[in-house]
């Protein structure tokens, strides 16, 4: 039975508007699409999982962890080991996050001086805007070009006009897969009066990084995560940059934000990075194969991608939402990004899966398009 209009409901309504910020009341909760029984190609997850022998050895390691204790106060050894494993140069510091999502929040929170603005190319990763709004910063999204690549001139002009405290650059960009040119990043680094965060969530597939450039650029920060590499469930991100900058973010960080099981699992898995590197290499090969197949389906534009997903644009007579549900009925889940931005009209984002999953995806997409034709 509906409670609307009852005195309790009215009291709750008044209470909500009295206590919650307008930005929060206006927000929509982050929706994760139900995926049970479906081939899940919507969230840029590594499809392979851990080899059984590695999973068993990891379980043994985790069994020895004392869950009654808080995580250690001094994680300098862990940070050094992590930095070394992922190519962080000497003289650079890092701080840890509960996923890089948390680090995006902390960075924005730390820079949210009155009137501060945050800038990114747009469309890009949703969290940049969300964190800005939640921290009371003005968010500026500089539209990508019609080719869905970074519009460097527009970025530089807007940076000069707006003087953002923070610039987020998804490198490569989610949801387009585009890897901005080196010269573009250099121009943005020179133009920016504040921090430039190069978000390398897809670095395992791009094989191009700014981490070794950190000592040369005082306003550069590099954001990384183990999520797309194959450990999304562990929730570990890290932010690298000049020690003085990283120390400020560290003050905002909740103590114990990375739990003991994650710390132990990563510590163990750092000795087995070759497994993940091999999986990433296979995903890159599959990306090429999938792109060729999708491109041959007729009328579909496949955008070049340096990440573990492909952005495609359906021909004008198709509707992304119809194709999405047609594919879902055939057991394959992808992401409809068409409502995110006018530039993404009729676009779907497809995570690269295993060879079998990619075959199933191609079959489902072809069948959906054929059956739509016969209607
Ligand atoms: C997936 C993604 C992240 C989030 O990573 P987590 O570490 O899982 O929070 C960050 N940035 C971009 C661009 C992403 O696509």
């Amino acid at each position: 039975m509906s409670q609307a209009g009852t005195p309790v409901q009215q009291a709750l309504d008044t209470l909500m508007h009295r206590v919650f910020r307008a930005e929060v009341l206006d927000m929509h909760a982050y929706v994760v699409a139900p995926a049970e029984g479906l081939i899940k190609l919507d969230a840029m997850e590594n499809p392979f999982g851990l080899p059984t022998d590695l999973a068993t050895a990891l379980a043994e390691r985790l069994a020895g962890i004392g869950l009654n204790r808080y995580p250690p106060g001094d994680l300098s050894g862990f940070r050094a080991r992590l930095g070394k494993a992922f190519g962080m140069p000497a003289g650079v510091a890092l701080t840890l996050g509960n996923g890089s999502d948390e680090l995006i929040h902390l960075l924005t929170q730390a820079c949210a001086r009155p009137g501060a603005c945050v800038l990114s190319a747009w469309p890009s990763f949703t969290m940049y805007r969300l964190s800005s709004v939640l921290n009371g910063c003005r968010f500026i999204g500089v539209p990508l070009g019609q080719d869905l690549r970074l519009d460097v001139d527009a970025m530089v002009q807007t940076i000069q006009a707006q003087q953002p405290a923070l610039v987020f650059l998804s490198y490569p960009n989610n949801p387009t897969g585009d890897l901005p040119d080196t010269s573009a990043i250099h121009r943005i680094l020179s133009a920016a009066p504040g921090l430039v965060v190069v978000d390398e969530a897809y670095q395992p597939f791009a094989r191009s990084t700014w981490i070794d450039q950190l000592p040369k650029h005082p306003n550069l920060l590099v954001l990384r995560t183990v999520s797309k590499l194959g450990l999304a469930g562990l929730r570990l991100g890290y932010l690298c940059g000049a020690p003085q900058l990283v120390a400020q973010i560290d003050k905002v960080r909740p103590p114990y934000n990375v739990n003991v099981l994650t710390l132990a699992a990563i510590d163990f898995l750092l000795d087995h990075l070759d497994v993940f590197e091999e999986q990433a290499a296979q995903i890159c090969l599959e990306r090429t194969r999938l792109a060729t197949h999708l491109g041959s389906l007729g009328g579909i534009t496949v955008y070049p991608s340096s990440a573990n997903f492909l952005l495609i644009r359906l021909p004008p007579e198709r509707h992304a939402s119809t194709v999405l549900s047609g594919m879902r009925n055939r057991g394959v889940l992808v992401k409809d990004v068409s409502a995110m931005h006018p530039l993404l009209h009729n676009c779907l984002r497809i995570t690269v899966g295993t060879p079998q999953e990619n075959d199933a995806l191609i079959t489902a997409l072809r069948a959906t398009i054929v059956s739509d034709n016969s209607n």
Side-chain angles (χ1 to χ4, degrees):
M1 203 186 81
S2 163
Q3 297 288 300
T6 66
V8 168
Q9 197 57 46
Q10 282 168 13
L12 272 174
D13 227 55
T14 312
L15 178 64
M16 299 233 302
H17 284 87
R18 189 186 305 141
V19 298
F20 291 113
R21 293 163 51 194
E23 295 93 327
V24 175
L25 290 172
D26 287 347
M27 273 170 63
H28 297 283
Y30 189 87
V31 180
V32 177
E36 207 172 280
L38 299 176
I39 295 177
K40 196 171 182 316
L41 299 176
D42 68 327
M44 284 81 86
E45 291 148 332
N46 175 334
F48 293 113
L50 284 186
T52 314
D53 55 335
L54 209 53
T56 308
L58 173 62
E60 251 169 61
R61 174 76 72 97
L62 295 184
I65 299 300
L67 299 182
N68 54 324
R69 302 292 176 197
Y70 282 103
D74 179 12
L75 289 175
S76 54
F78 178 87
R79 286 196 306 263
R81 195 163 132 65
L82 185 76
K84 189 157 181 262
F86 288 112
M88 194 174 79
V92 173
L94 71 79
T95 188
L96 305 171
N98 189 343
S100 49
D101 279 0
E102 185 186 43
L103 289 164
I104 293 167
H105 277 296
L106 297 179
L107 261 165
T108 312
Q109 196 178 4
C111 296
R113 291 161 63 104
C117 93
V118 173
L119 181 145
S120 176
W122 208 250
S124 187
F125 190 44
T126 320
M127 285 297 158
Y128 306 151
R129 182 164 73 184
L130 189 70
S131 291
S132 302
V133 171
L134 283 178
N135 286 294
C137 297
R138 198 157 44 90
F139 178 79
I140 298 163
V142 180
L144 299 173
Q146 286 299 327
D147 57 357
L148 301 189
R149 299 207 70 203
L150 196 72
D151 183 342
V152 198
D153 291 333
M155 287 289 287
V156 167
Q157 278 164 24
T158 315
I159 287 168
Q160 283 164 349
Q162 303 286 345
Q163 300 285 298
L166 268 175
V167 174
F168 284 107
L169 285 170
S170 178
Y171 182 89
N173 189 40
N174 175 6
T176 58
D178 172 52
L179 189 76
D181 296 333
T182 303
S183 61
I185 309 283
H186 275 296
R187 284 183 62 195
I188 290 166
L189 279 168
S190 311
L195 304 176
V196 176
V197 183
V198 175
D199 181 347
E200 298 190 347
Y202 298 97
Q203 185 274 332
F205 316 99
R207 296 170 182 151
S208 177
T209 178
W210 284 80
I211 205 164
D212 49 337
Q213 299 294 308
L214 280 167
K216 287 191 214 154
H217 301 280
N219 62 337
L220 172 64
L221 293 168
V222 171
L223 182 62
R224 293 272 192 89
T225 175
V226 299
S227 292
K228 310 295 164 30
L229 189 61
L231 300 168
L234 286 179
R235 313 303 302 130
L236 184 82
Y238 55 102
L239 178 75
C240 313
Q244 297 91 325
L245 301 178
V246 171
Q248 303 310 310
I249 311 305
D250 218 30
K251 293 183 202 169
V252 190
R253 186 177 60 83
Y256 315 129
N257 62 332
V258 180
N259 72 78
V260 288
L261 294 177
T262 297
L263 291 168
I266 297 288
D267 189 58
F268 171 80
L269 292 168
L270 285 180
D271 285 329
H272 303 278
L273 285 183
D274 53 325
V275 172
F276 298 99
E277 279 156 17
E278 200 176 305
Q279 291 177 346
Q282 204 181 336
I283 289 166
C284 289
L285 289 176
E286 276 298 299
R287 176 179 70 199
T288 307
R289 187 178 76 91
L290 188 57
T292 309
H293 273 279
L294 294 173
S296 69
L297 283 184
I300 293 177
T301 307
V302 184
Y303 289 89
S305 171
S306 300
N308 63 341
F309 60 84
L310 291 168
L311 185 79
I312 66 167
R313 196 187 300 273
L314 300 164
E317 68 275 14
R318 309 279 170 203
H319 285 286
S321 59
T322 318
V323 173
L324 185 85
S325 54
M327 292 178 71
R328 177 188 265 280
N329 292 340
R330 291 170 176 85
V332 179
L333 181 65
V334 298
K335 177 92 173 172
D336 177 6
V337 294
S338 58
M340 267 184 76
H341 194 278
L343 281 167
L344 299 180
H345 175 71
N346 240 6
C347 285
L348 297 175
R349 190 190 62 198
I350 298 170
T351 305
V352 179
T354 63
Q356 296 79 1
E357 289 174 333
N358 298 332
D359 287 342
L361 169 106
I362 294 161
T363 306
L365 183 55
R366 190 184 285 129
T368 300
I369 289 175
V370 170
S371 90
D372 272 11
N373 270 344
S374 58
N375 285 344

